[in-house]
Amino acid sequence: MSNDKKGGPANPPVNAAPSPSSPSSNFLRAIVEHDIASGDYAARTDVNGHPLPQVVTRFPPEPNGYLHIGHAKSICLNFGLARDYGGRCHLRFDDTNPTKEEQEYVDTIIDSVKWLGFDWHDGRASHLYYASDYFPTLYAIAEYLVGAGHAYVDSQTAEQMVANRGNFGEAGTDSPYRNRTPKESLDLLRRMKAGEFKDGEHVLRAKIDMASPNMNMRDPAIYRIRHAHHHRTGDEWCIYPMYDYTHPISDALEHITHSICTLEFQDHRPFYDWILERCAEANFFKRPLPHQYEFARLNLSFAITSKRKLLQLVEEKTVDGWDDPRMPTIVGIRRRGYTPESIRLFSERIGVAKADSWIDMGTLEGALRDDLDARAPRAAVVLQPLKLVIDNFPEDLSVECSAPVHPHLPEHGVRTFPISKNLWIEEEDFMEVASKGYFRLFPGNRVRLRYGYVVECTGCDKDATGKVIAVHCTYFPDSKSGSEGSANYKVKGNIHWVSAHHAVQAEVRLYDRLFLDPHPDAGGKVFMQALNPDSKKTVQAWMEPGLARALPEDRYQFERHGYFVADRIDSVPGKPVFNRIVTLKDSWAAK
Ligand code: ATP
Ligand code: MG
């Protein structure tokens, strides 16, 4: 609606990941700490005389789409400030635009905020609000503003209004209706509300200054006629308040102290303050009033965060829906396997800036690696299988091997899996003719089968086209990992494997970045031309037997490969399906 913005800066430099900063280094924290120290918001009480916290923030999404990583940052920021300073954060649906909003979006937003680990309850009180619940109050204040001469009904056409608005450096022209008497405007406003006029016939405008250097102060619209069904108020209203009018009043009604929004609203702040001043003069609200602060929106490299462009990806079926694991939506990154902890860590690490910049995708991936490296159970999985036959291993023997669930957390115990004559190894772990520095399997070379035995490669079988279809080796029965004899074998290569007879087969979706261009939509670029054709590959992998028990959303480190999650929709116990969240190392860093 009123907030035309977006697009991201045009190709600014990619920021390196800022080092984890102490919380106090963020300018918003500094403001909050200053306000607490000065006691400005200390003595407030609610209508029942109960004391109010000194820090009350809000996250105010419009329920017109799915939330994305940028919103996640705003959620972490607002809820995080409230948490850290003994305050509270409200979840408020800014649902004043009837034609674009739906219950489906309300539900997914609620889910996403909860999933990120935040809560709008304060003790037993719920602080979940809808701007549409304030329609009666917003309207009452509008009538007051008209009566006090602070607002008037304008009857120019939309085109005339645009033409008379002027430009930067050029004053606007007063509307011929600007000097309507309060009585006349009030009568028209009531008739607008009663449904006597068509959309666009009249608009209620604040009466401020058509020559203001700030375009937002040139008599901004505060109510417009919209004969539309609203997802919560139905057909009760046919006039709807504008965002810039609704926002400060909603904040004041909820006793918000710090109203944090993105930079493009900086020029809207004078109107925010103007409305609240008029309301305070008339005793609608007590001082101190809420204050608006602006921070730089998150622009994430290799991603787009415009709701409209994300919708295009979904509608053109470039991705498999809003929760496609390649989407930067919260439902998408959740399905990809990101943990709420990693998103909060990411948000903390990138800090809060006052100027627009890009954050590298590697910073988000790094947060996930750091979170899961510390706690994810390990597993052996072969993604590109090649058969390895241990020729001297007895046909029906299987020997149990064991490995730590987590190398640094012995309390998590051990996992066991059998070794037998026929194994699966990675295709890339064998070369018929070794290149320089290659220490894995090639004829005559010895490697350790991780947690198992040392084997020596003896050769391979090929099909008619010359493709290697099986590798042969012999093993040393006294070389088993953990046994006394194992120390006698010094080898440079160490490869993972699974026993062909015991392994479970499962689908693994190897996701990668959706775009090849770090700034796919900057400077008006066509983001659809920057798609990564290899952003999704599906393989049938062989896994150590224990993985059959994986539950949806269980996360693992597949040794040597990266971090994977059992897909929360398609995976079922006994028949898991995995998504690659990220590889172990950042393969994009050098690009
Ligand atoms: P719209 O154009 O539909 O208003 P929006 O992205 O601003 O899109 P909102 O639902 O209005 O969506 O956003 C809710 C809150 O999230 C706002 O406070 C907004 O400032 C914040 N927000 C949105 N995008 C980002 C972003 N990229 N980085 C940080 N905060 C964001
Ligand atoms: Mg918005």
Side-chain angles (χ1 to χ4, degrees):
M1 40 197 294
S2 65
N3 34 331
D4 46 328
K5 48 201 168 83
K6 285 296 154 45
N11 271 340
V14 171
N15 279 3
S19 55
S21 51
S22 74
S24 59
S25 63
N26 137 359
F27 81 96
L28 289 169
R29 287 180 183 271
I31 290 169
V32 168
E33 283 166 16
H34 171 270
D35 290 350
I36 291 174
S38 71
D40 285 353
Y41 290 101
R44 305 182 313 152
T45 52
D46 66 15
V47 282
N48 302 315
H50 297 135
L52 285 160
Q54 293 196 64
V55 179
V56 185
T57 55
R58 85 287 167 270
F59 173 65
E62 185 179 352
N64 65 350
Y66 284 77
L67 298 183
H68 53 61
I69 184 74
H71 296 111
K73 175 180 175 164
S74 178
I75 292 168
C76 293
L77 180 62
N78 281 294
F79 281 91
L81 279 173
R83 175 199 60 208
D84 295 347
Y85 294 98
R88 70 183 188 218
C89 181
H90 298 182
L91 174 59
R92 180 199 312 144
F93 289 101
D94 240 323
D95 56 349
T96 54
N97 187 355
T99 54
K100 289 203 219 149
E101 297 159 1
E102 287 171 30
Q103 187 60 38
E104 175 197 350
Y105 298 131
V106 169
D107 296 340
T108 158
I109 290 170
I110 287 179
D111 268 2
S112 292
V113 175
K114 278 193 197 158
W115 177 74
L116 280 170
F118 296 108
D119 189 3
W120 46 87
H121 290 84
D122 182 8
R124 284 168 57 200
S126 165
H127 294 286
L128 174 67
Y129 300 102
Y130 294 85
S132 56
D133 285 344
Y134 307 141
F135 283 166
T137 308
L138 290 158
Y139 179 76
I141 292 175
E143 283 210 350
Y144 159 75
L145 291 172
V146 172
H150 295 312
Y152 62 98
V153 171
D154 194 358
S155 309
Q156 297 181 99
T157 62
E159 294 74 37
Q160 285 168 332
M161 259 182 254
V162 171
N164 287 338
R165 216 172 152 225
N167 264 311
F168 289 105
E170 178 205 328
T173 310
D174 284 0
S175 162
Y177 305 98
R178 197 172 195 264
N179 291 323
R180 265 180 174 149
T181 62
K183 191 163 171 284
E184 195 187 341
S185 279
L186 194 56
D187 173 62
L188 282 168
L189 176 62
R190 288 180 176 161
R191 289 168 58 200
M192 282 164 65
K193 176 171 177 274
E196 286 186 29
F197 306 113
K198 292 197 288 293
D199 287 7
E201 238 179 297
H202 303 282
V203 172
L204 182 68
R205 298 178 76 175
K207 193 170 183 177
I208 309 179
D209 179 6
M210 286 305 290
S212 171
N214 182 339
M215 300 291 281
N216 296 297
M217 295 298 271
R218 294 186 184 176
D219 293 8
I222 60 185
Y223 260 97
R224 59 179 171 169
I225 303 172
R226 215 53 187 295
H227 290 273
H229 188 83
H230 185 279
H231 75 116
R232 291 188 81 242
T233 58
D235 298 316
E236 197 182 330
W237 295 86
C238 64
I239 56 171
Y240 288 94
M242 302 301 286
Y243 174 88
D244 278 348
Y245 172 72
T246 309
H247 206 89
I249 295 175
S250 306
D251 282 348
L253 286 169
E254 293 177 20
H255 308 287
I256 301 299
T257 53
H258 302 80
S259 179
I260 299 165
C261 57
T262 42
L263 277 182
E264 61 272 20
F265 288 100
Q266 201 164 349
D267 291 346
H268 300 231
R269 192 183 342 125
F271 183 57
Y272 182 100
D273 292 338
W274 185 91
I275 282 287
L276 290 185
E277 281 301 324
R278 301 293 79 75
C279 290
E281 282 164 13
N283 284 321
F284 281 104
F285 306 122
K286 285 201 216 110
R287 295 174 198 278
L289 298 167
H291 197 284
Q292 178 183 301
Y293 300 92
E294 304 88 16
F295 72 103
R297 61 188 299 116
L298 167 68
N299 296 300
L300 187 64
S301 71
F302 297 96
I304 52 179
T305 47
S306 143
K307 283 179 189 162
R308 180 176 56 79
K309 293 172 189 169
L310 292 174
L311 179 68
Q312 194 182 337
L313 290 171
V314 172
E315 282 184 339
E316 296 185 14
K317 298 203 175 0
T318 309
V319 295
D320 308 323
W322 286 103
D323 69 346
D324 184 298
R326 293 164 294 178
M327 288 284 271
T329 50
I330 299 184
V331 287
I333 52 188
R334 174 176 182 185
R335 190 155 179 204
R336 175 73 166 260
Y338 276 91
T339 57
E341 292 83 355
S342 65
I343 306 300
R344 297 200 299 263
L345 179 63
F346 166 71
S347 175
E348 195 62 47
R349 283 184 178 172
I350 61 178
V352 187
K354 282 188 191 175
D356 273 326
S357 65
W358 289 83
I359 298 293
D360 190 73
M361 178 69 99
T363 307
L364 177 63
E365 295 169 345
L368 188 274
R369 289 189 189 102
D370 290 347
D371 178 27
L372 287 191
D373 179 39
R375 60 196 179 110
R378 279 25 181 188
V381 173
V382 174
L383 296 176
Q384 300 288 342
L386 174 63
K387 188 166 268 187
L388 177 69
V389 185
I390 311 177
D391 291 312
N392 62 339
F393 206 92
E395 193 73 48
D396 44 12
L397 178 67
S398 74
V399 177
E400 193 162 84
C401 301
S402 68
V405 169
H406 190 287
H408 309 304
L409 301 172
E411 64 274 24
H412 287 205
V414 293
R415 41 190 242 263
T416 57
F417 39 86
I419 190 163
S420 61
K421 186 181 182 78
N422 294 298
L423 308 177
W424 293 113
I425 59 167
E426 294 293 344
E427 226 170 58
E428 60 169 31
D429 285 342
F430 171 76
M431 283 182 98
E432 203 178 358
V433 181
S435 55
K436 194 164 174 285
Y438 188 82
F439 300 119
R440 291 172 267 169
L441 286 170
F442 56 87
N445 195 40
R446 291 181 183 186
V447 301
R448 176 168 292 283
L449 299 175
R450 219 164 180 202
Y451 311 119
Y453 297 93
V454 170
V455 295
E456 182 170 314
C457 182
T458 53
C460 64
D461 302 333
K462 296 183 194 172
D463 67 9
T465 66
K467 183 175 164 3
V468 176
I469 50 170
V471 177
H472 289 270
C473 67
T474 53
Y475 87 121
F476 302 94
D478 62 343
S479 67
K480 187 155 183 256
S481 291
S483 72
E484 263 178 40
S486 71
N488 300 328
Y489 295 85
K490 299 270 179 266
V491 292
K492 285 190 175 162
N494 184 322
I495 67 172
H496 70 279
W497 52 274
V498 291
S499 163
H501 178 70
H502 304 90
V504 287
Q505 196 176 34
E507 176 175 320
V508 178
R509 298 159 182 171
L510 301 172
Y511 290 110
D512 203 346
R513 295 177 183 179
L514 187 55
F515 295 101
L516 295 171
D517 187 328
H519 309 121
D521 62 344
K525 276 187 274 188
V526 184
F527 65 96
M528 282 293 193
Q529 288 173 5
L531 290 166
N532 175 5
D534 297 321
S535 62
K536 178 183 181 184
K537 272 187 274 188
T538 301
V539 297
Q540 294 295 323
W542 288 104
M543 318 194 154
E544 67 175 65
L547 284 190
R549 293 192 298 272
L551 299 174
E553 297 209 285
D554 276 354
R555 298 172 179 89
Y556 296 87
Q557 184 195 98
F558 290 178
E559 292 175 358
R560 297 173 68 205
H561 288 306
Y563 296 95
F564 292 73
V565 68
D567 188 85
R568 61 186 289 249
I569 309 289
D570 298 336
S571 197
V572 288
K575 200 169 184 337
V577 173
F578 285 92
N579 301 330
R580 180 169 68 199
I581 317 171
V582 280
T583 50
L584 278 187
K585 295 219 169 62
D586 184 356
S587 58
W588 291 74
K591 291 185 186 179

